[in-house]
Amino acid sequence: MSQPCKGKATRRKLLRGVISAAATVVAAEVGTVLKGVTTERRASAEERFSTDNEVLRMQQDLERALRKPVEQRQWVMVIDTRKCIGCNACVVACIAENRLPPGVSYRTVPEVEVGEYPAVRRVFMPTNCQQCDNPPCMKAAPPGAISKRPDGIVVVDYTKFRTRKAFEAAAKACPYTALYFDDGKYWTQGTPRLQAYETRPHVEYGQRWTRMEGQLPIGAGRKCHFCLQRLEVGMLPACVTTCIGRAMYFGDISDKRSLVADLLRRNPHMQVNANLGTRPRVYYIAEDVKKNCQVCHG
Ligand code: SF4
Ligand code: SF4
């Protein structure tokens, strides 16, 4: 029987060792590359989420805020007047969401003049209830008709805010013209029949309402509530998700990671009529902010 060649056996062993080592290196390299690809993919997804898509980021902020006790969420709205194009899409969304009749508008988009001659220009300034931390409307309204929630939203109790006299006292106290009286009009009034969208039930303040004659909220004072009914089910306010110019932002100011906190850190901003001590929760980002606002930050 011939003996195996010692040299050949050693070469084979060496070759096996080299192949095995090479395989290990290749596997490690592949692992590193794959790991790199995964990390890169994850990083870019996170980046997309946190920077490119502001609505998704606000949605994430909202979900994070809703996991906290209500008193630890501090809702604010930030409006970037540089981006508003005055299209009124937010107004229409608000009307549809809250079944608002003619003459009731939780939200308006006035055009205002800013600057000094000759550098004068006009900007759109969307506005709604400022959810003041010191709300004069609350003091002027009947007890319990208007109240402040721990998360900052100023809410109305339709059952207590229902005479024109009570409404007029609160409306007069509000420096932002944010209160409206629902006197029972319909958009399709005078046509052969009211369209279903006017009387379809809707939710506000955790209750279903049907805007039919003799039923609330007809005959009550009404105002913006940051779409509380949507927040409670994890949705951003209708004006924010509808905004075509991406001028509307919403979130929890007590959360330093939130987009609203980030925007206010990075941009000069103002609050309207804040010199009156109302402590509004709506912030405006605007060019020339220092020249034109009554109370500026940044
Ligand atoms: S904006 Fe007017 S209605 Fe809204 S909380 Fe302030 S005072 Fe009240
Ligand atoms: S939808 Fe946006 S861009 Fe259009 S008016 Fe409203 S805030 Fe301005």
Side-chain angles (χ1 to χ4, degrees):
M1 213 180 184
S2 65
Q3 293 293 312
C5 168
K6 225 176 176 182
K8 266 188 188 169
T10 312
R11 270 202 303 278
R12 228 179 276 129
K13 211 169 161 186
L14 192 64
L15 200 58
R16 266 203 302 271
V18 168
I19 289 170
S20 155
T24 310
V25 170
V26 169
E29 287 290 321
V30 168
T32 308
V33 170
L34 285 177
K35 200 172 160 200
V37 167
T38 315
T39 312
E40 201 174 290
R41 276 202 192 123
R42 196 182 311 131
S44 61
E46 273 165 15
E47 202 181 345
R48 253 201 313 279
F49 241 51
S50 62
T51 57
D52 293 354
N53 194 322
E54 291 176 322
V55 176
L56 286 179
R57 183 167 169 196
M58 283 189 281
Q59 184 65 38
Q60 286 184 324
D61 294 347
L62 176 68
E63 286 166 17
R64 207 165 47 249
L66 290 174
R67 287 196 288 273
K68 300 197 290 188
V70 65
E71 66 280 3
Q72 286 178 26
R73 306 170 205 150
Q74 294 303 316
W75 301 127
V76 299
M77 189 167 267
V78 177
I79 301 175
D80 191 339
T81 59
R82 300 167 304 181
K83 290 159 85 183
C84 177
I85 54 171
C87 64
N88 279 282
C90 54
V91 176
V92 175
C94 177
I95 288 171
E97 170 69 29
N98 297 295
R99 304 287 189 279
L100 303 182
V104 177
S105 187
Y106 287 0
R107 178 174 184 76
T108 56
V109 185
E111 198 177 351
V112 300
E113 202 170 274
V114 295
E116 281 163 29
Y117 178 82
V120 181
R121 59 197 179 85
R122 294 178 77 82
V123 295
F124 295 107
M125 194 125 176
T127 182
N128 44 261
C129 170
Q130 310 281 303
Q131 318 297 342
C132 309
D133 279 347
N134 181 26
C137 62
M138 191 167 91
K139 293 168 201 146
I146 298 180
S147 55
K148 180 91 179 154
R149 283 167 48 97
D151 58 10
I153 299 179
V154 175
V155 292
V156 165
D157 181 338
Y158 286 150
T159 65
K160 294 181 179 159
F161 195 37
R162 50 185 317 181
T163 67
R164 197 172 264 279
K165 196 171 162 215
F167 161 77
E168 274 167 9
K172 200 168 155 205
C174 169
Y176 304 95
T177 334
L179 284 161
Y180 293 84
F181 191 74
D182 188 335
D183 56 8
K185 291 196 182 84
Y186 295 96
W187 294 102
T188 51
Q189 204 160 328
T191 63
R193 68 183 162 88
L194 292 181
Q195 291 299 300
Y197 72 83
E198 302 227 53
T199 51
R200 212 166 35 215
H202 73 286
V203 176
E204 276 186 292
Y205 305 119
Q207 276 189 55
R208 278 167 81 85
W209 309 94
T210 307
R211 255 192 102 258
M212 301 282 275
E213 202 181 334
Q215 290 186 47
L216 290 170
I218 289 177
R222 303 182 67 181
K223 66 168 208 66
C224 162
H225 35 60
F226 279 173
C227 277
L228 182 56
Q229 69 277 7
R230 288 170 63 95
L231 300 180
E232 282 172 343
V233 293
M235 293 164 73
L236 291 162
C239 58
V240 174
T241 52
T242 310
C243 179
I244 288 167
R246 189 48 39 236
M248 295 294 308
Y249 298 94
F250 181 83
D252 175 13
I253 191 76
S254 71
D255 177 359
K256 289 187 174 51
R257 290 165 62 197
S258 66
L259 182 54
V260 285
D262 199 18
L263 286 167
L264 294 181
R265 260 195 311 272
R266 288 191 285 112
N267 293 285
H269 52 272
M270 59 163 281
Q271 291 154 296
V272 176
N273 285 337
N275 54 327
L276 301 178
T278 49
R279 308 213 308 272
R281 279 179 180 247
V282 178
Y283 295 85
Y284 291 87
I285 295 173
E287 281 172 7
D288 305 334
V289 71
K290 290 190 175 146
K291 280 190 212 150
N292 297 298
C293 70
Q294 288 159 299
V295 174
C296 307
H297 308 265

